Amino acid sequence: MTTTPLVLGPMLRYVDTVSASIWVETRGTASVGVDAGNRSWTARTFAVHGHHYALVHVDGLGPGTVTPYTVSIDGAQVWPPADSVYPASVITTLTPGAPLRLSFGSCRTSVPHDKKGTRTHGVDALRAYALQMAEGDGILSWPDLMLFLGDQVYADLTSEAMQEFIRDRRDIREPPGEELADFEEYAHLYNLAWSDTANRWLLATVPVAMIFDDHDVRDDWNASLSWKRRMEATSWWHGRIVAGLASYWVYQHLGNLSPGERAHDEVWQAIQTHDGAEELDLSSVLDGFAERCDREPTTYRWSYCRDLGEDRLIVLDSRAARELDPRRRALVDEQETAWFDERMQGGFRHLVVATSLPFLLPPGVADIITDVADGKRGAAPQPVTFLSGDVHYSYVSELDRTSGNRIIQAVCSPIRNPLPILLRSVSAVLSYGMSTRLSALLSRSVGVPPPPFHWSGIIGPWFDNCLATVADTPDGLRLSWASGVVDGGDPAHPTVTERAAITVAPRRDATLGR
């Protein structure tokens, strides 16, 4: 049996009006090529702990164009596979002035898409969505961006396949047991997460952005200073956090960056300035970087901001950037708050803030957001929208305000990791009528002051595996949640059903700086 030199990918990552970034993992040292529109672009691989990666920068495209592409390794085409049943992968650049359309969700476990996996974890909403896209009638309804808001992989709650891989390497009875220990195990975990053929086609065709949450590293990561010190006292935590952050930079964060942001990224600079004949081994550089990021979190920023035509997306790190000092506890430290403050501006049709956790609006941050919604920082967006995950149920709530433009929070969780039925009634009690109580509970759990405003539930909660879509329509911002359904058929070929939807119309009396 022939082994393909393409291990994982291609993944379509950062895309703007004229360029795109395409990420791959290869089986060895290679030159990776992308061919699109009678043009070609290439990049050399770099190595991390025996694994090989490349990010190909595709430029010179036109705004609003749809261009099929192929991928080659050392001159031989590897994508699409010869036996592919899916449409051609394409690069769709942003169209200036086009209405916003993005899909989002969080919390996805990697278990087989068979009867057993469906029974224990439900239908993978991402895969159902991918199959619907592949069988659809064109790209007009495809999202401009797929946004994953944490727990893309589970380093602490591992599947049977992951545990089998671990057992082949080390004694699983010794710490950290069934949890991940090093970069090699993270690389295998990402392969399990992203190698399904339908999902792989989707990730090669729709631009993808990501941010981590706790399970990408470990449950309750950075919940408190005492939590961190307990972990640091173990024999295995240092290896875990270094591998977790190093692999996150390679597999997730690198593709979040625009070409300009990459140019200023210290790790990417090491790749770009390498001019030796041999492939660059980035292992020690990346490990040192990851170790420093954990020890001194203010020295690197995982948050990022993208302007999508007339809309702005801010993706905020609420895990690594926490203030853990008990005297100043906060989900976002002062430096990150200042960065957020600079980017929270009016003048955009929609302002979308994405975080892994439902946003609590602590004092100071609440003033920033209400100033934007009240038109004090330029024309107010319609509305200001928060997208979140983490809690394993979905809902929509609104900030209680008597004036100004609307401030909405939409949560989509999980993509594939449903809450046990016995826990759902407890969560429902917290959720209905709810976000005031939920925000207070979350605030107390991390030791921060309660928020100065209250959220009121609009719809929800529901507990299905879902993928949500945000779409700008003439009537307002439409939020919808889709689930995969088998209905007694083949679990490998689910259909998609809309679980819930709501259109958030702007307030008629909210001129607010316009």
Side-chain angles (χ1 to χ4, degrees), residues 319-391:
R319 282 291 174 184
R322 291 186 174 187
E323 176 55 74
L324 299 182
D325 188 324
R327 298 166 296 180
R328 302 186 300 273
R329 294 268 309 261
L331 288 175
V332 181
D333 63 30
E334 290 184 1
Q335 182 170 305
E336 206 72 6
T337 299
W339 177 88
F340 178 67
D341 188 9
E342 291 176 1
R343 284 150 187 81
M344 284 293 290
Q345 301 296 329
F348 296 96
R349 183 167 52 191
H350 294 286
L351 181 60
V352 179
V353 180
T355 63
S356 62
L357 292 162
F359 212 70
L360 304 181
L361 296 186
V365 174
D367 294 337
I368 295 170
I369 295 160
T370 54
D371 280 354
V372 173
D374 290 342
K376 296 178 180 178
R377 297 185 173 209
Q382 299 274 3
V384 177
T385 306
F386 287 85
L387 307 180
S388 304
D390 179 71
V391 292

Side-chain angles (χ1 to χ4, degrees), residues 3 56 61 75 107 125 162 175-176 236 244 312 314 316 351 357 365-366 384 437 472 474 497 500 503:
T3 302
V56 182
L61 305 174
C107 307
M162 189 66 226
W236 53 269
R312 169 164 284 187
I314 301 173
L316 192 61
L351 181 60
L357 292 162
V365 174
V384 177
R437 281 172 286 174
D472 186 10
T497 185
T503 298

